[in-house]
Structures are given as C-alpha cells and as structure tokens.
Amino acid sequence: MSDPLPHEIERVLFTEEQISARIREVAAEISRRYAGRTVKLIAVLKGSVFFLTALAREITIPVKIDFLAISSFTGQNRGPGMVRIAKDLDEPIEGDDVLLVEDIVDTGFTARYLLQTLAGRGPNSLGICTLLDRSVRRIVQVPVEFRCFEIPDRFVVGFGLDYRQLYRNLRYIAVMKNS
Ligand code: IMP
Ligand code: MG
C-alpha cells in the first residue's frame, strides 16, 4: 500500500523504483567511463546528498566523496542569483577525476559557478552528474555529462529536493501543487 501524498503535492513524477533503476544505469555508465581510475564524487549540500549516497553504492570502481555547501542570494521567484561557497571541500582535488553531483540543474548558474571554481584547482577531469535536468529553464550553458531524468517546468520535491527545507526525505520525486 502506498501512503497518501502530502497535501501540497500534486502527483508523483518518478517512483522509488524508477529512480533506483535509473541510478543503477547511470552508475554503470560512470563505472565504464572511469574504468581503471578512482572517481571523486563531490556533492552540494544539502539536496544532492541523497543522490550521492545512492549513486555511490551502485558504482563499481573506487569512489571518494567530498562535500561543499553554497549560499545563493536569489531574488523573488527562485530567480538566478549570486552564489558563494559557504563550506569548502575537506581535501584538494588536484589531479583527481571529479564528478560534481547535483540534485538539479535549472538555470545553470550554480553549476557554472561551481565548475569554474573547481576547474581552478587543477583536477585531472571535471564533469557534472545530475539527478534532474530542467533544461527548458537554462540561462547559462553548462556541460552535463550524466543525467538521470529530464523534467518539465514545474517545481519538484523529494529524493533530497526541498520546498522550504521540507520533503527531502520523500522516496519519490513529486510535482508541487501551484507550481
Ligand atoms: P540553478 O542555479 O538555477 O541551476 O539552481 C539550481 C538549484 O536551485 C538547485 O540546486 C536547487 O537547490 C534549486 N532548485 C531549482 N529548481 C528546484 C525544484 O524544482 N525543486 C527544488 N529545488 C530546486
Ligand atoms: Mg541544490
């Protein structure tokens, strides 16, 4: 039996089963692409942590993980804003094969800022792996090497994604009402 949906939620977009099946596929792609190497997964707190742990468990090559946190100064309406690093990585990434693990790439501002910042630290390679891609809202172009799902222009929550810090723990990804 499935639990009733929270009242602010309109419908489920991806079920727990669909998410885990797709993460397994993307993890297999990553394991092939980086075969013979160690991949360093870098997640952006807090939303991407759920995706990172699920992804890391399915990758079959050696994995390291690290975290950073950012503050976004967005205007009204989740519009693009300035981004800065609020908590930096614990370790240098020089010479590493780095995959930036994102919950969602939307306008692209956050991802572009992080890519530029990390690129300056001399990794051997640098790519983006995102759970969700809402490319219809893209303002700045960023190369997305791995994506699990493309989504429509609606606000979504679950599997790490929040609305005012709520709903991160949902096992599925859902569309919010009135978005
Ligand atoms: P970007 O800089 O516009 O690409 O913003 C990406 C960030 O905005 C994500 O890391 C999320 O924190 C947040 N975000 C964008 N769309 C959504 C959504 O539909 N649900 C929850 N958070 C979102
Ligand atoms: Mg985020």
Side-chain angles (χ1 to χ4, degrees):
M1 290 297 290
S2 54
D3 298 328
L5 297 178
H7 79 277
E8 289 182 298
I9 284 173
E10 182 180 297
R11 67 189 161 91
V12 173
L13 194 57
F14 303 111
T15 64
E16 182 177 7
E17 291 73 24
Q18 288 172 317
I19 296 167
S20 51
R22 183 65 188 130
I23 289 177
R24 223 171 292 131
E25 289 176 356
V26 170
E29 269 182 63
I30 291 171
S31 303
R32 281 196 297 273
R33 184 85 62 88
Y34 295 88
R37 292 182 278 171
T38 294
V39 66
K40 181 177 275 188
L41 305 179
I42 292 181
V44 184
L45 298 170
K46 312 167 190 137
S48 306
V49 169
F50 293 74
F51 178 41
L52 176 136
T53 59
L55 183 70
R57 284 196 297 263
E58 301 292 344
I59 293 177
T60 54
I61 59 169
V63 167
K64 293 182 179 179
I65 64 173
D66 206 345
F67 299 93
L68 55 78
I70 53 172
S71 307
S72 318
F73 305 97
T74 48
Q76 293 167 338
N77 254 335
R78 62 186 163 109
M82 308 260 300
V83 183
R84 69 172 180 86
I85 291 186
K87 178 227 169 285
D88 208 336
L89 299 172
D90 289 337
E91 307 277 344
I93 57 168
E94 193 174 349
D96 289 344
D97 290 297
V98 173
L99 258 187
L100 182 63
V101 176
E102 271 284 13
D103 50 0
I104 181 167
V105 181
D106 186 33
T107 62
F109 280 103
T110 308
R112 184 180 64 173
Y113 169 79
L114 292 173
L115 278 186
Q116 283 173 350
T117 303
L118 296 177
R121 300 181 185 186
N124 182 53
S125 67
L126 181 58
I128 298 181
C129 176
T130 191
L131 176 62
L132 304 178
D133 191 347
R134 197 195 280 116
S135 57
V136 293
R137 276 177 42 94
R138 198 77 91 251
I139 295 173
V140 294
Q141 294 312 311
V142 284
V144 175
E145 270 79 17
F146 305 95
R147 78 170 56 67
C148 292
F149 302 105
E150 179 72 46
I151 62 162
D153 192 6
R154 298 290 306 277
F155 197 84
V156 296
V157 293
F159 212 88
L161 291 115
D162 72 302
Y163 173 67
R164 298 186 177 167
Q165 300 302 326
L166 283 173
Y167 306 122
R168 293 192 194 277
N169 61 322
L170 298 181
R171 293 165 172 271
Y172 48 84
I173 293 168
V175 173
M176 292 281 293
K177 285 179 186 165
N178 307 319
S179 70

